[in-house]
Amino acid sequence: MIEERRSVTVRGIVQGVGFRPYVYGLARRHALAGFVRNDPSGVRIEIEGDPLEVRRFLEELPRNAPPAARILTIEEADVELNGAPAAVRSDKGFHILRSATSGRTRPLFVADRGTCEECRRELFDPEDRRFGYPFSNCTQCGPRLTIIEGAPYDRERTTMAAFEMCPSCRAEYEDPSDRRFHAQPIACPECGPRLDASLDDFVDAVLSGKVGALKGLGGYHLVCDGTSEPAVLRLRERKARDEKPFAVMVGDLDGATALARLSDRERALLSSPRRPIVLVPKRDRSLLAPAVAPGNPNVGLLLPYTPLHLLLMEKVAARPLVMTSGNRSDEPIVHREDDLAQLEGIADVVLSHNRRIRVRCDDSVTRVVLGEELPLRRSRGYAPEPIHLARAAPKRILAAGGHLKNTFALADGERVFLSHHIGDLDELRAFEAFERDIALYEELFDFEPEAFAHDLHPDYASTRYARERAEREGLPCIAIQHHHAHVAACMAEHGLDAPVIGVAFDGTGFGSDGTIWGGEFLITDYREFRRASHLRAVSLPGGDRAAKETWRMALSYLVDAGIEPTAPRSPVVVDMIKKGVNAPLTSSAGRLFDAVSSLIDLRHRISYEGQAAMELEWLCGGRLSDRGYPFVVDESVDTRPLIRAVQEDVDGGMEPTEIARRFHRTVVSILEAVCERLREAHGLSRVVLSGGVFQNALLTESTVPALERRGFDVYRHRTVPPNDGGISLGQIAIASEQLSCV
Ligand code: ZN
Ligand code: ZN
Ligand code: FE
């Protein structure tokens, strides 16, 4: 019989997802000999046998791959039959060989994955040897990024190396037909990690109203009974978190449906292996304590994503539990026993285990807008899966990201590894985590930067980090304007390369002219941008304080509109505005929302970022008014007529709800009017929407169809957040293009 031998290299997310057993099974079914092994660039296969079967194998290979796998490329080559390794040629079996560890190209890592259906079934099967075992997993599910210590992904380079496999686990691990074949974190009650205290006691404490700290996948959660108002209030008080909504874990989709009205897309996201927190509309009457998400029409729900969470939810009889990051206020989430002191005075009871968390990773947060995912925080379950650039970066670039909601990113060829959520770099602990996690990613991806990118803001901790390293290592360093990065991030997601109309509406970012930007219309490709229009700049009295005390912005806009504030809260601030003392200029869209929120007496100061704008959105109850306020589009957008009209309505005693709806309508009209003007001037009809303001679902839902009706192609974020969590991707896209043309 004529035999054929072919070598196949598969690249993509193919390690740690059960790919080798899949290949093994496939080869056996087609009666082929050969081998499969992980190597630094992905999975390497050689098959030998009947040419017809070889062809069938190759056809089927991408089609039935394990669900967690993502194949990018399959390269095939002929192999000299007599050139095959003797050990393999001598018998006609199919083998799984040990990983090769040489070579620089690194495989793509998978993110942590929520417990699969099979593992869940075993967990509750009294006959199974893993019955009730909190650390069960398989090739399809379990920890990945959070336990990785090196590459390639093998048990000895994870925090599971500390646990010696028992004979039963070893047998499963080595049996190619077993669904735990080479599941690196494989474990059982005999040999694997253990809880350090009783889950029952923990459950009793939580059900009696206490606050628990629970070690999970990427860190500690603070847990309390989500149906008990006193318990939730106690947690708020101790965590110094006045009003920011808490996420809630429910037992299953039925539990979620009891608390919220879910679309199919939302149900699918909740139960996907990524298991993010999904922001969904609350039901009016539910068990949920009001203090979970005060005044908020939405609630962030998530399903159990580890066996430990499944057991916990079972033991509390699926009662909804608040599950919030184990930290004080906005510090990074605690992930090591050594740091538990930080939760002292917050948690009454602690439940830990002895599987070390190597990478601290917060829960991801997402929502569905117009049927598509709108990510708010891309972290556990997503990071560090790569995002692909349309064109390979000419150098290995490290982008330091922004200042708030920081993520950093590494570009290696066409792949961008966007980090998990690091947090606000004001916090020393967050900055330490930033440095440590950059070092870890460099090690994991065998990545040595050849260039740095950072925000234009000279005082961001991330900027200083990038500059210092670039100087020390003698490498190029590129400063990138904040809103250019926002727009470029969204362009990169969609692989756009021609110039677009980029709308960046957000809080603040350092502008090229030294003022503070945030209501920007840019004509841009990656290489450069032109500030084509923007909201009229007003003063920001007291600088950063104006972002927290929204009444300052109300005064600023009133003075700008020529309205003398009657009985102002602070004549000193009015003076600051008029004289321009400690009152830098800003065109921020976020601050305009803040001002209106204060003008209608909704919120004069905030306790978390974006609160005033969110409450303004909630007040609308999902509806715009048919009527909007006047404004003038010129070189910039004159908001003075808008402010005068809002103030007139306030004085006339109009319902705040109607004013909020008219205001939202006006913002949509501004976006339409400016885009029309820019289309005329530049002949561009692609509009890219970015910036934190587009986390506002009502605004996004209204703007997209409004622009589409006018014939624009509208692009918005689906992969990275529109907020500053997406900045690092934009920095990569721009730096990559700029480095290409020098
Ligand atoms: Zn599983
Ligand atoms: Zn075992
Ligand atoms: Fe921003």
Side-chain angles (χ1 to χ4, degrees):
M1 177 166 78
I2 299 168
E3 301 231 314
E4 184 184 28
R5 188 172 183 97
R6 291 189 71 76
S7 105
V8 184
T9 303
V10 187
R11 290 199 175 79
I13 297 171
V14 289
Q15 293 192 12
V17 293
F19 205 81
R20 285 173 302 170
Y22 160 68
V23 171
Y24 176 88
L26 193 61
R28 295 281 292 253
R29 269 209 310 291
H30 292 283
L32 298 172
F35 68 87
V36 56
R37 73 165 184 238
N38 282 347
D39 77 8
S41 60
V43 164
R44 171 79 196 287
I45 305 166
E46 285 193 17
I47 37 169
E48 178 179 338
D50 180 346
L52 187 67
E53 293 299 329
V54 168
R55 207 170 66 231
R56 286 189 180 139
F57 173 95
L58 292 170
E59 278 168 13
E60 206 181 321
L61 182 67
R63 253 206 327 266
N64 297 323
R70 240 180 46 217
I71 296 177
L72 283 180
T73 59
I74 298 181
E75 282 163 36
E76 285 174 46
D78 280 322
V79 176
E80 284 288 314
L81 260 182
N82 50 12
V88 173
R89 228 173 342 123
S90 60
D91 76 80
K92 290 287 156 189
F94 193 86
H95 304 267
I96 296 180
L97 303 184
R98 284 184 62 82
S99 302
T101 52
S102 59
R104 208 205 69 85
T105 333
R106 292 289 152 173
L108 309 187
F109 287 111
V110 250
D112 301 272
R113 301 186 74 84
T115 305
C116 74
E117 200 39 45
E118 275 283 276
C119 288
R120 197 195 63 82
R121 200 188 44 70
E122 283 178 2
L123 186 68
F124 294 111
D125 174 4
E127 303 297 309
D128 194 275
R129 73 187 192 93
R130 291 188 177 82
F131 175 61
Y133 181 58
F135 305 96
S136 179
N137 60 75
C138 71
T139 53
Q140 296 302 312
C141 75
R144 300 287 187 269
L145 172 69
T146 51
I147 60 165
I148 285 179
E149 304 208 89
Y153 175 61
D154 264 324
R155 187 174 176 102
E156 63 253 45
R157 284 173 295 272
T158 70
T159 63
M160 284 300 293
F163 301 92
E164 173 122 30
M165 275 182 234
C166 69
S168 313
C169 284
R170 163 83 46 201
E172 292 168 332
Y173 183 84
E174 287 173 355
D175 174 1
S177 66
D178 195 277
R179 65 185 196 84
R180 289 191 171 86
F181 174 71
H182 281 209
Q184 307 306 342
I186 188 173
C188 80
E190 280 300 305
C191 65
R194 288 161 203 263
L195 296 176
D196 72 342
S198 146
L199 178 58
D200 287 318
D201 292 349
F202 184 84
V203 166
D204 288 345
V206 167
L207 288 182
S208 67
K210 296 212 164 72
V211 173
L214 179 71
K215 185 177 181 182
L217 202 56
Y220 280 83
H221 274 128
L222 290 166
V223 184
C224 78
D225 182 349
T227 66
S228 160
E229 185 78 354
V232 179
L233 287 173
R234 199 171 302 129
L235 174 57
R236 282 206 177 279
E237 188 186 294
R238 292 183 186 172
K239 214 178 128 121
R241 184 158 168 167
D242 296 343
E243 287 147 318
K244 199 171 175 178
F246 286 139
V248 173
M249 185 174 277
V250 289
D252 52 23
L253 283 177
D254 287 344
T257 308
L259 301 184
R261 287 170 281 121
L262 303 180
S263 67
D264 289 345
R265 188 80 179 80
E266 287 161 344
R267 298 169 72 89
L269 267 174
L270 274 169
S271 50
S272 78
R274 300 187 192 278
R275 305 278 161 89
I277 295 169
V278 185
L279 213 52
V280 288
K282 252 194 238 176
R283 280 192 196 282
D284 286 340
R285 269 181 299 277
S286 80
L287 283 173
L288 215 56
V292 167
N296 190 334
N298 303 311
V299 62
L301 298 183
L302 81 165
L303 297 190
Y305 53 88
T306 69
L308 178 56
H309 294 134
L310 283 163
L311 293 167
L312 172 67
M313 294 316 290
E314 154 99 341
K315 285 187 194 286
V316 299
R319 186 184 295 236
L321 297 181
V322 164
M323 281 268 172
T324 186
S325 303
N327 54 12
R328 201 177 291 273
S329 204
D330 291 323
E331 292 178 1
I333 181 170
V334 170
H335 73 297
R336 293 181 310 197
E337 286 65 49
D338 293 353
D339 299 330
L340 271 175
Q342 291 171 38
L343 300 182
E344 240 165 61
I346 301 182
D348 299 301
V349 40
V350 178
L351 183 56
S352 292
H353 58 72
N354 59 349
R355 187 177 70 206
R356 209 155 43 78
I357 297 171
R358 172 69 203 258
V359 180
R360 180 175 47 71
C361 202
D362 292 82
D363 293 325
S364 294
V365 186
T366 191
R367 73 191 303 180
V368 175
V369 172
L370 294 170
E372 300 271 8
E373 192 171 353
L374 172 65
L376 303 176
R377 181 165 73 200
R378 183 184 184 273
S379 201
R380 187 213 12 103
Y382 294 78
E385 280 183 14
I387 294 165
H388 289 88
L389 297 173
R391 223 159 356 140
K395 282 185 157 66
R396 290 190 296 276
I397 308 165
L398 171 64
H403 189 66
L404 300 176
K405 300 182 167 71
N406 177 274
T407 62
F408 58 84
L410 319 178
D412 194 349
E414 73 281 1
R415 300 176 305 182
V416 180
F417 300 98
L418 197 69
S419 78
H420 53 284
H421 170 79
I422 304 292
D424 297 354
L425 298 185
D426 292 326
E427 296 284 341
L428 178 64
R429 269 192 267 265
F431 183 72
E432 286 167 355
F434 169 80
E435 287 187 301
R436 200 177 51 231
D437 291 346
I438 287 179
L440 175 67
Y441 272 56
E442 286 182 19
E443 185 192 322
L444 287 182
F445 298 108
D446 191 17
F447 180 94
E448 229 183 281
E450 297 170 307
F452 292 88
H454 61 81
D455 196 272
L456 189 59
H457 199 303
D459 299 327
Y460 279 3
S462 53
T463 299
R464 286 199 300 269
Y465 172 89
R467 284 193 181 164
E468 278 167 25
R469 268 197 71 179
E471 187 165 348
R472 205 168 54 232
E473 297 170 28
L475 294 171
C477 192
I478 300 173
I480 290 159
Q481 201 280 321
H482 189 88
H483 303 97
H484 188 201
H486 268 306
V487 172
C490 190
M491 291 173 71
E493 262 187 43
H494 293 277
L496 301 180
D497 58 0
V500 299
I501 300 170
V503 182
F505 269 27
D506 77 343
T508 55
F510 196 79
S512 313
D513 60 359
T515 70
I516 298 164
W517 294 5
E520 311 307 310
F521 295 86
L522 311 178
I523 300 296
T524 176
D525 51 18
Y526 299 106
R527 213 159 298 171
E528 52 194 6
F529 73 93
R530 203 168 84 73
R531 191 189 194 198
S533 187
H534 56 88
L535 297 184
R536 178 182 161 84
V538 299
S539 64
L540 192 64
D544 284 348
R545 279 186 73 182
K548 301 208 166 81
E549 299 172 4
T550 52
W551 58 268
R552 288 171 181 259
M553 287 316 298
L555 285 184
S556 172
Y557 270 100
L558 285 176
V559 171
D560 181 58
I563 299 169
E564 196 57 38
T566 46
R569 193 174 289 254
S570 165
V572 180
V573 169
V574 175
D575 228 44
M576 279 164 83
I577 297 163
K578 287 184 174 165
K579 295 192 177 129
V581 178
N582 189 18
L585 287 177
T586 185
S587 55
S588 163
R591 297 297 86 80
L592 175 60
F593 277 77
D594 287 354
V596 172
S597 173
S598 174
L599 285 174
I600 65 171
D601 204 18
L602 177 66
R603 179 145 298 274
H604 301 295
R605 58 185 73 228
I606 59 169
S607 66
Y608 61 92
E609 200 206 346
Q611 184 181 14
M614 272 187 231
E615 291 183 357
L616 198 60
E617 175 192 351
W618 302 340
L619 190 60
C620 297
R623 292 227 307 272
L624 299 185
S625 173
D626 295 333
R627 294 195 47 188
Y629 292 116
F631 57 91
V632 179
V633 173
D634 210 322
E635 290 304 293
S636 64
V637 181
D638 190 346
T639 48
R640 288 174 299 182
L642 155 67
I643 295 297
R644 287 185 205 117
V646 168
Q647 189 56 42
E648 254 167 53
D649 279 350
V650 171
D651 292 341
M654 182 179 286
E655 279 294 313
T657 301
E658 176 60 17
I659 301 177
R661 287 175 175 165
R662 288 184 179 188
F663 172 68
H664 273 79
R665 157 67 60 203
T666 312
V667 177
V668 176
S669 304
I670 288 173
L671 292 166
E672 290 177 276
V674 178
C675 288
E676 283 286 7
R677 191 183 159 94
L678 296 179
R679 174 162 62 184
E680 245 164 67
H682 301 274
L684 301 173
S685 60
R686 292 205 259 187
V687 178
V688 169
L689 304 176
S690 189
V693 169
F694 287 104
Q695 294 173 103
N696 182 324
L698 177 61
L699 183 66
T700 302
E701 264 162 23
S702 316
T703 303
V704 172
L707 288 172
E708 283 174 350
R709 273 195 300 273
R710 290 171 177 269
F712 289 100
D713 296 320
V714 187
Y715 298 87
R716 62 200 168 95
H717 288 280
R718 287 177 206 165
T719 308
V720 302
N723 61 45
D724 288 5
I727 284 285
S728 57
L729 175 62
Q731 291 174 346
I732 290 279
I734 294 165
S736 170
E737 205 60 31
Q738 293 186 352
L739 288 164
S740 298
C741 51
V742 286

